[in-house]
Amino acid sequence: MLAGRHVVLAVSGGVAAYKAAYLARRLLEVGAEVRTVMTDASRQFLGPQTLAAITGSAPVLGLFDQEEVSPHTTLGQWADVIVVAPATAATMSRLATGLSVDAISATVLASRCPVVVAPAMHTEMWEHPATARNVATLIGDGCVIAGPATGALAGGDEGLGRMLDPDEILEIVAGAISPGAMYGWKILVSAGGTREAIDPVRYIGNRSSGKMGNAIALAAAEAGAQVTLVTTVAAPAHRNIDEVQVESAQDMADAVWKAAPQVDAAVLAAAVADFRPADPAVGKLRRAEGLPQVHLEPTPDILAGVAAMVDRPYLVGFAAEVGSLEVAIEKAQRKGVDLLVANDVARTGSGFGTDTNEVTLITPDGATEAWELLSKAEVGTRLIAEIVRRHQPAGER
Ligand code: CTP
């Protein structure tokens, strides 16, 4: 995965810097081209000559003290991926604020590639609200935070804050530039079936379990995306998933339309009611009052609202059909989506409540691609990889 790829190894000033030498060696062993950059403080822990001897080229040590006119931009533009290992609290703070005062922070600022940050610090520093803020900012910026682990720390202490082992960091660096990676992406997913109130205790609902939408959200989060999951069911726990609970089609429309302009792709997997009681009763309808008449009115078409947005995200719709694909093919052309995922809910192993799904991808030009029966988790992972393949966010990595 890393063979022939350009890796910038950035070393900041913690005792774990000695392990960066081994990480450089491991990166070279798997075929990566490695260049290094060091802060002043890191040289208290690791000699530049060590990195030069291992990689064959001298580390960048500062912004001004070498022959290169602009070492940080040269390095930032050369990099396919940057790994900051170890990343001290101070370095993370500079990365989070864009304060390019040293060779590492300037190189990261001058790059467009994925950045993997491997924190190493004492537990108190890692758990401090200031560090937590910086970590949240870095995640929001699309950085991959690798670790830390629990174990021996500097000065004989023990606890959370130890840098991950170089081999673990290597795996994460490889994952960050793998073809399905979504680091830096923002994704919106809708899931579950909406509930339309008849009165305060009754509603019109549908059979959707939310499993397909949840699987898509989880797959995107595991691929590194920041996910907004607008849902009527419980969301999977993942730190990259921001859960927005809704109930009705109108709630879902409001939440989806608010989030859609900020995301790179929207996958609308929810089963949205097409009709709702026009005039839901304020109090509970009583049996003694006789048979109620429930008049219906249309709900907003959420998908159509997103499709009509200027600068809309890459848009994936779902179509639950029964029988032939003809209707779904026509829907893919009519709905203004980039991709429609159709499934026949009447088939065994497909549709509501099952853990498997058999779907067909349809593009607006009418092209279809049928997938075999897969677990919903696999459909989610493959769909996310398809979205990455079919759509790269403008100006992104
Ligand atoms: N959808 C939506 N808003 C609605 C209804 C549906 O955004 N009020 C979305 C669903 O989330 C799904 C897609 O539209 O991604 C297709 O849903 P479907 O019910 O098949 O579409 P309809 O236009 O309602 O199709 P039909 O003509 O079969 O009623």
Side-chain angles (χ1 to χ4, degrees):
M1 192 68 75
L2 285 168
R5 305 305 295 272
H6 294 175
V7 180
V8 168
L9 172 59
V11 184
S12 65
V15 63
Y18 78 92
K19 293 192 214 168
Y22 180 65
L23 178 56
R25 160 72 62 219
R26 292 289 295 125
L27 287 164
L28 290 163
E29 280 172 6
V30 298
E33 288 186 44
V34 181
R35 294 195 194 165
T36 56
V37 49
M38 302 178 78
T39 59
D40 288 350
S42 73
R43 288 148 68 186
Q44 301 285 337
F45 301 95
L46 180 71
Q49 200 52 41
T50 304
L51 288 180
I54 292 171
T55 64
S57 64
V60 170
L61 301 176
L63 296 170
F64 308 110
D65 51 359
Q66 289 164 107
E67 276 180 21
E68 181 91 52
V69 176
S70 181
H72 57 298
T73 52
T74 305
L75 213 50
Q77 289 161 3
W78 177 83
D80 292 322
V81 58
I82 298 175
V83 50
V84 188
T88 61
T91 287
M92 289 173 65
S93 155
R94 288 191 289 271
L95 297 182
T97 52
L99 188 66
S100 57
V101 289
D102 60 28
I104 290 183
S105 48
T107 300
V108 170
L109 207 60
S111 74
R112 290 195 194 277
C113 64
V115 178
V116 176
V117 174
M121 63 195 74
H122 262 76
T123 311
E124 296 82 354
M125 298 173 82
W126 172 250
E127 290 179 349
H128 194 282
T131 305
R133 265 198 312 276
N134 292 331
V135 169
T137 302
L138 289 171
I139 291 172
D141 288 350
C143 288
V144 186
I145 306 294
T150 300
L153 304 172
D157 290 335
E158 289 257 340
L160 181 63
R162 183 181 166 83
M163 190 174 86
L164 289 188
D165 284 338
D167 283 313
E168 292 175 282
I169 297 173
L170 188 80
E171 286 281 306
I172 294 168
V173 172
I177 51 172
S178 68
M182 269 198 157
Y183 294 100
W185 285 63
K186 290 189 171 61
I187 301 284
L188 169 64
V189 179
S190 74
T194 62
R195 295 185 283 271
E196 310 301 328
I198 297 171
D199 70 11
V201 293
R202 303 178 182 92
Y203 61 79
I204 298 175
N206 61 61
R207 295 181 191 279
S208 170
S209 63
K211 285 182 180 173
M212 193 61 253
N214 276 357
I216 295 162
L218 194 57
E222 284 176 349
Q226 287 296 303
V227 182
T228 301
L229 176 57
V230 178
T231 180
T232 63
V233 298
H238 191 289
R239 69 175 179 187
N240 285 7
I241 296 180
D242 184 12
E243 174 183 353
V244 182
Q245 276 293 332
V246 294
E247 176 136 337
S248 65
Q250 187 62 56
D251 295 344
M252 186 171 273
D254 293 342
V256 165
W257 292 340
K258 182 171 169 218
Q262 280 89 45
V263 300
D264 303 298
V267 184
L268 302 188
V272 185
D274 288 323
F275 314 105
R276 65 184 171 206
D279 192 14
V282 180
K284 186 182 173 191
L285 294 171
R286 301 282 169 192
R287 194 201 307 244
E289 291 161 7
L291 264 191
Q293 294 295 314
V294 179
H295 294 283
L296 299 176
E297 65 178 13
T299 55
D301 188 333
I302 304 173
L303 192 77
V306 178
M309 286 176 179
V310 187
D311 283 340
R312 70 163 173 77
Y314 185 85
L315 184 55
V316 182
F318 270 69
E321 298 297 344
V322 178
S324 90
L325 272 182
E326 292 306 309
V327 178
I329 291 172
E330 180 274 324
K331 240 180 222 183
Q333 288 157 354
R334 172 169 51 89
K335 290 236 164 203
V337 293
D338 295 297
L339 192 63
L340 192 78
V341 182
N343 65 340
D344 186 340
V345 287
R347 275 201 193 194
T348 318
S350 233
F352 301 124
T354 61
D355 288 320
T356 53
N357 210 355
E358 192 171 348
V359 303
T360 300
L361 303 193
I362 308 172
T363 41
D365 59 7
T368 61
E369 184 182 312
W371 289 357
E372 64 274 28
L373 184 69
L374 298 166
S375 69
K376 283 185 175 170
E378 279 173 277
V379 174
T381 308
R382 278 175 62 165
L383 184 61
I384 288 302
E386 276 297 321
I387 294 170
V388 174
R389 196 174 64 77
R390 290 167 189 257
H391 174 71
Q392 287 291 338
E396 288 279 327
R397 39 195 68 126

